[in-house]
Each structure stands twice: as C-alpha cells, then as structure tokens.
Amino acid sequence: MGGELAVDGLCVAYGRTEVLFDVDLLVPSGSLVCLMGRNGVGKSTLLNAVAGLLPRTRGSIRFDGAEVSGVRAHKRARMGIGYVPQGHAVFPQLTAMENLLVVLERAGRSDRSVLDEVLDIFPALATLLDRPAGLLSGGQAKQLAIARALVTRPKLLVLDEPTEGIQPSIIHEIEDTIAALHATTGMTMLLVEQYVEFALRLADRYAVMDGGHIVSAGTTTDVDLTAFNDLLAV
Amino acid sequence: MEALLEQIFNGVSLGSILLIVALGLSFSFGQMGVINMAHGELIMIGAYTPYFLQSESGWFDGGAAGTAFVVALPLGFLAAGLVGVAMERTLLRRMVGRPLDTLLVTFGVSLILQQAARDTFGAPNVDVVSPTWLTGRWELLGVVMPHRRLFIIALVMLAVAALSAFLATRPEGRRMRAVMQNRDLAEVSGLSTRRVDRTTFFLGSALAGLAGVAVSLVGSVGSQVGTGYIVDAFLVVIVGGLGKLRGAIVGALALGLLNAFSEFWTSASIGKAVVFVAVIAFLQFRPNGLVSFRTRGLVA
Ligand SMILES: Nc1ncnc2c1ncn2[C@@H]1O[C@H](COP(=O)(O)OP(=O)(O)O)[C@@H](O)[C@H]1O
Ligand SMILES: [Mg+2]
C-alpha cells in the first residue's frame, strides 16, 4: 500500500511573506486525512509544497520514509504523489482523452488498462472524451482532474477542495466516488474540504489550520467540532 | 488589377516567412516566458548554411549548387535547432518565467552570434546561388510569380502542416501543448517540463533556421539578415496571440499583406509606420490577440 506522508516543521514563504509556520502533519499509510480551515489560512500552500510546486524555507517532507523536499514536482508525481489542485485543474485545450493520455504516455508506458479503470470510476467521462476540457462543466472538469491524477496510479492522492464551486447534485456524486475509492482501494488520501460533515464522515484523522499554523489535529472519533466552529466558519 | 494581385502574392510570400519565424518566438514565450532576441540570429545561421555548403565547404564544387541548397534545408534546420537548445541548456532554463532577464541575455547572445558570423564569413554580404530549377517564373493573370517565392510558400505550408500534425498526434506534441497550457499542472502530473522545454526550443529554433535557408533565396545574406524579420515576427506574435497556431497564421498573413500594400501605396519607411499604427489600433480592441489564450499557473 504505502503512501505515508510526514510533514515536519515546514515553513513556506511567497517571497518574503511567510505563509506556513512550523507545520506538522502526518498522513499514515492507508488513512484518509482531512485538512480544514477558513479561506486563506494556508491549506493550498501546504498542498502545493507537498506536491513540489513551492519550495520550503525550513522543515522536511517525507514520503514513504524518503525525504522529498528537494525533489522536483514531476519526480514526486512519479514516486506516487497524485495531486488534484484547487480550481479548474485540467489542460483546457486538450480533449478529455488527451488530458488522460498525456499523463499516461509520459514514460512510454503502453499499459492502457488504467484508462479503463478510471473510466469505470467516472463513467460520465466516457461520453465526453472528445470534448476539449475547457468546455466541460465544473463537475465534469473536476472528475477529469481526479481521473488524471489516478492515471498515474498514485499511492497518495491529494485533493484540494474537490467539491468547491460545483452544483450540489454533482457534489454528492464526487463525494461518493472519493469515499468508494478510499474504501475499495485503501488508497492513502489527504483531502481539503469545506463541508465539515462530509469530511468527518469520511476521514480517519483531521487537522485544522489557522493563520499558517496547524491549530488542532487528531482522530475523527473523538473530535468535538463545536470547539472550533469559529475556525471553520467560511 | 495585376498590381493588386501582385501585392497580394508578395504579401503572402512575406507572411509565410514571418509565420515560421513567429511560431518559434511564440512557442518559447508561451511555454517558458522567454523573449528570444537571438531568434533572428537563428535565421542567420539557417541563411548562411547554403552559402557555407556552396562556397566554403568545397563539398559541392562543379555545378552542384542546387544539391547544396537541398542539403542546406535539413542541415540549417538542425544547426539552428542545436544552437537554440545549447542556448536553452546553458542560459535560458535558469530564467524560466523571467521575460526581462531573457530579453537582455538573448540580446547579448544575438550580438555575439552576429560577430561570430562576421569573423567566420567576413563582413560583406554574400549571395546564395539559387538552384536552376528555382530560377524561372510563372505568369498567371499577368501576375509574375518567381519560382523561388512559390517554393518558399510551399515550404512553409509543408512545415506548418508537419508541425500541426506533430502537435496534434505525437505524444511529444501533446506534452508541448500541455506544458504550454498549464505548466504547474504538467509538472504535478509527472511531466518533466524541462525536457519538454528542450523539445519546444529545438523546434522553434529549427523552424527559424529553415526560414533562414528560405530567405537566402530572395536576398543577400549577412550578419543582420535576421533582424529585418524579427520585429515583424514579434508583431505577428502580439497580433496572433501566444502559442496559437491559427492566430499566428492569420496574424502573419495580415502583417505580410499589410506590409506589402503599405509599401506599395506609400514609401517603404512610411509603410512600416502604417503597420505599427495598424497593430496598435488592433490591440486597442483585442488586447489578447486574435485568439485569446491564457497560461494558467497553480501557484502564481
Ligand atoms: N501566489 C501567492 N503569492 C503570494 N501570496 C499568496 C499566494 N498564494 C496564496 N498566498 C497567500 O497565502 C495565504 C494562504 O493562501 P492559501 O494557501 O491559498 O489558503 P487556503 O488554501 O487555505 O485558502 C493567503 O494569505 C494568500 O493570500
Ligand atoms: Mg485553497
């Protein structure tokens, strides 16, 4: 299985503006950890640093025991970190099929069975494969973005607000898919989510951020959410 | 009427050269944020290639100038492509996303390459011998169409068709488009953007080299041969929009025609001014070019 992520004492800055302070986060192998917090507290920054898009100023990021903070983003992806960034995370002028192919082809891999697997998970995509990704609806684009990450067969799937800005009817579809994926494959997952009920129903562990710090973390069985209602209010 | 058709023909012929020059500029800027001021010197490398083969190498003596020119087409393509990759490897990849730095550095590279050309081939301009099968002309409806210009148009059409087929169907082409559209997303999907950059830079530079071989047919060759095209090619990029094949084609034709007509009706230097005014006017209502296109990043 694998996919354990251990972030220790991580500090990240945009230029001279420090955004993350001494962040510790553990995502044990096979678990689903939900990261919560209001807008602007640093959740996406943390995920970008984990994926390798932002350099750290201090601290360590270990993936399955190996230090990856100096490793370039595409190498981390090949090691097994799959990332679905916030927003419209597709190549807009590639067709849906090309969005998947471009990832699948990169190492000259000929194994296309993974395509069938992800289309089983997102059957709605099967009829949209020839459409440019930029013309997909928000929900369709999100499914494509998750499918794109799954094509790399990640050990750790990192999802940044997968239900943000999506029609309520499709939110449930995406929630169910994530839940089913975790349940059936046991894939390690790190999820940023604003819908607290959904997050807690799904997650084994949670962490709450505020102002660039992790202010609370633990298992979801003994969480008292009322204690940080003000930290989660959007 | 003949005069009008002749200007259209001249405009298309100039536009076709501008097109392949502009494609390279637009790819490297669209994908890497590199403003390559040395792009004109890649044209120069291409333009000197047939001259080198015909007059300096001694490989094609005894009336084989035409063969030398044919050999120069792939060789100029390759030579300019390799020089471009060398530039990318040594300098530009450290400056991805810093256009102003790349502008200054490539300006320096362009001066060095021009001086190197003068040291190698001498300061005066030189002439390339056209193959005999390109010295004729066609007359259609009273319009004189030299074979050389027809050849250039055909060569560009072929190059653009090959390029778009490459981008549309080859895995490398798909990767280029993906990196151009969203660099960060490509990285986190496991694509090595630096490797893709190398492919892009090779292709863009090689196309400039091919353009250079072509323009050696219609004028003399000197260290400044590329600079004449580069300003107009930048204008094509601005008008056509970044990293867009279709926008570049329309932009190049428009600029070629505009150039041809404005020089026909007015004098050459006023013609240039007219082109600039037209471009500025155009950008007033389409600031993103003909086909608007935005590169997205996840972080910035
Ligand atoms: N590219 C950037 N440059 C500078 N500051 C940024 C950038 N992106 C985000 N920030 C700042 O970093 C902080 C954390 O942002 P972010 O990680 O996106 O928060 P969240 O995902 O929790 O909403 C915010 O104050 C935001 O303004
Ligand atoms: Mg965010």
Side-chain angles (χ1 to χ4, degrees):
Chain A
M1 193 173 343
E4 181 189 85
L5 176 74
V7 175
D8 263 308
L10 187 72
C11 299
V12 173
Y14 291 105
R16 280 200 204 106
T17 318
E18 291 186 53
V19 174
L20 295 189
F21 306 89
D22 224 8
V23 167
D24 295 335
L25 180 73
L26 179 69
V27 183
S29 172
S31 69
L32 194 158
V33 175
C34 187
L35 183 62
M36 295 177 284
R38 284 170 305 181
N39 276 335
V41 296
K43 304 180 300 293
S44 297
T45 303
L46 175 56
L47 300 198
N48 279 331
V50 165
L53 293 177
L54 284 172
R56 47 135 202 203
T57 45
R58 263 197 317 281
S60 83
I61 303 168
R62 275 173 297 129
F63 181 60
D64 275 339
E67 178 63 49
V68 296
S69 43
V71 176
R72 303 217 328 124
H74 72 273
K75 291 248 170 72
R76 294 191 208 185
R78 293 177 191 186
M79 290 169 79
I81 300 182
Y83 184 26
V84 182
Q86 195 168 2
H88 237 65
V90 294
F91 303 107
Q93 315 208 347
L94 264 52
T95 64
M97 183 62 168
E98 287 181 313
N99 267 268
L100 302 175
L101 273 185
V102 76
V103 177
L104 185 69
E105 286 163 345
R106 59 120 179 103
R109 281 190 300 180
S110 52
D111 168 26
R112 300 226 165 170
S113 59
V114 67
L115 270 186
D116 299 331
E117 283 171 39
V118 299
L119 291 178
D120 274 349
I121 298 172
F122 297 106
L125 288 179
T127 57
L128 303 166
L129 289 176
D130 291 331
R131 197 170 297 183
L135 298 184
L136 298 178
S137 73
Q140 294 165 341
K142 187 55 71 182
Q143 298 186 15
L144 178 61
I146 300 173
R148 195 217 71 243
L150 291 177
V151 162
T152 63
R153 293 192 190 279
K155 294 183 202 155
L156 167 69
L157 184 63
V158 180
L159 297 150
D160 195 351
E161 304 206 25
T163 58
E164 182 197 29
I166 287 176
Q167 290 174 32
S169 58
I170 304 175
I171 287 184
H172 288 293
E173 222 173 280
I174 290 181
E175 283 178 356
D176 291 345
T177 308
I178 294 170
L181 191 66
H182 180 62
T184 56
T185 64
M187 187 183 292
T188 313
M189 292 188 182
L190 172 58
L191 172 71
V192 171
E193 183 54 73
Q194 300 276 12
Y195 292 85
V196 177
E197 298 89 82
F198 166 55
L200 293 180
R201 179 157 52 88
L202 213 62
D204 312 300
R205 305 168 65 89
Y206 73 93
V208 180
M209 284 186 85
D210 193 33
H213 299 267
I214 301 272
V215 290
S216 172
T219 59
T220 45
T221 43
D222 52 43
V223 61
D224 176 15
L225 265 185
T226 52
F228 24 80
N229 258 345
D230 53 328
L231 290 175
L232 298 181
V234 184
Chain B
M1 185 61 192
E2 279 100 54
L4 180 75
L5 289 175
E6 196 146 324
Q7 288 315 309
I8 291 179
F9 176 70
N10 288 343
V12 171
S13 137
L14 173 64
S16 62
I17 292 171
L18 291 181
L19 174 59
I20 44 176
V21 175
L23 283 177
L25 287 175
S26 139
F27 283 164
S28 54
F29 189 77
Q31 182 170 323
M32 300 155 69
V34 166
I35 299 180
N36 188 5
M37 297 299 285
H39 204 64
E41 282 55 53
L42 299 169
I43 301 177
M44 177 195 80
I45 289 171
Y48 270 114
T49 306
Y51 170 76
F52 170 78
L53 291 178
Q54 288 175 349
S55 309
E56 309 241 327
S57 70
W59 302 334
F60 295 92
D61 290 347
T67 317
F69 182 81
V70 172
V71 174
L73 287 167
L75 197 65
F77 181 85
L78 205 65
L82 291 178
V83 170
V85 168
M87 254 164 62
E88 195 272 330
R89 294 270 84 192
T90 52
L91 299 167
L92 299 177
R93 71 171 185 160
R94 289 167 226 281
M95 303 172 190
V96 167
R98 280 151 49 200
L100 283 180
D101 294 6
T102 61
L103 189 145
L104 290 175
V105 165
T106 53
F107 185 64
V109 171
S110 101
L111 295 180
I112 292 170
L113 288 175
Q114 285 186 20
Q115 186 56 42
R118 284 190 289 269
D119 290 346
T120 313
F121 299 110
N125 281 6
V126 298
D127 283 306
V128 166
V129 183
S130 294
T132 45
W133 42 273
L134 283 182
T135 49
R137 56 183 49 195
W138 277 351
E139 274 195 48
L140 192 69
L141 305 171
V143 182
V144 179
M145 298 186 286
H147 286 170
R148 288 178 299 204
R149 291 199 177 271
L150 287 170
F151 174 79
I152 290 176
I153 295 173
L155 182 71
V156 168
M157 278 166 40
L158 199 70
V160 170
L163 180 71
S164 50
F166 176 84
L167 288 176
T169 60
R170 299 292 307 158
E172 298 86 356
R174 232 191 310 272
R175 283 197 281 272
M176 275 177 65
R177 287 188 291 145
V179 173
M180 241 179 262
Q181 287 168 36
N182 194 331
R183 200 177 172 81
D184 287 342
L185 187 63
E187 265 289 321
V188 299
S189 306
L191 306 187
S192 167
T193 52
R194 285 192 187 160
R195 252 173 91 166
V196 178
D197 286 348
R198 219 179 314 160
T199 317
T200 304
F201 222 80
F202 175 84
L203 269 183
S205 306
L207 284 176
L210 194 66
V213 182
V215 301
S216 76
L217 284 175
V218 292
S220 62
V221 176
S223 59
Q224 306 258 358
V225 64
T227 39
Y229 291 94
I230 216 68
V231 175
D232 284 344
F234 269 117
L235 290 181
V236 170
V237 175
I238 294 169
V239 172
L242 276 178
K244 288 295 293 182
L245 197 56
R246 232 173 313 152
I249 291 173
V250 179
L253 278 180
L255 237 75
L257 289 172
L258 206 58
N259 256 311
F261 278 104
S262 56
E263 281 181 33
F264 173 64
W265 279 314
T266 59
S267 75
S269 57
I270 296 180
K272 270 264 133 45
V274 170
V275 170
F276 269 98
V277 169
V279 167
I280 290 167
F282 171 81
L283 289 175
Q284 290 303 310
F285 64 94
R286 285 305 284 271
N288 292 325
L290 282 175
V291 188
S292 74
F293 181 83
R294 209 155 49 93
T295 323
R296 277 176 223 251
L298 300 170
V299 176

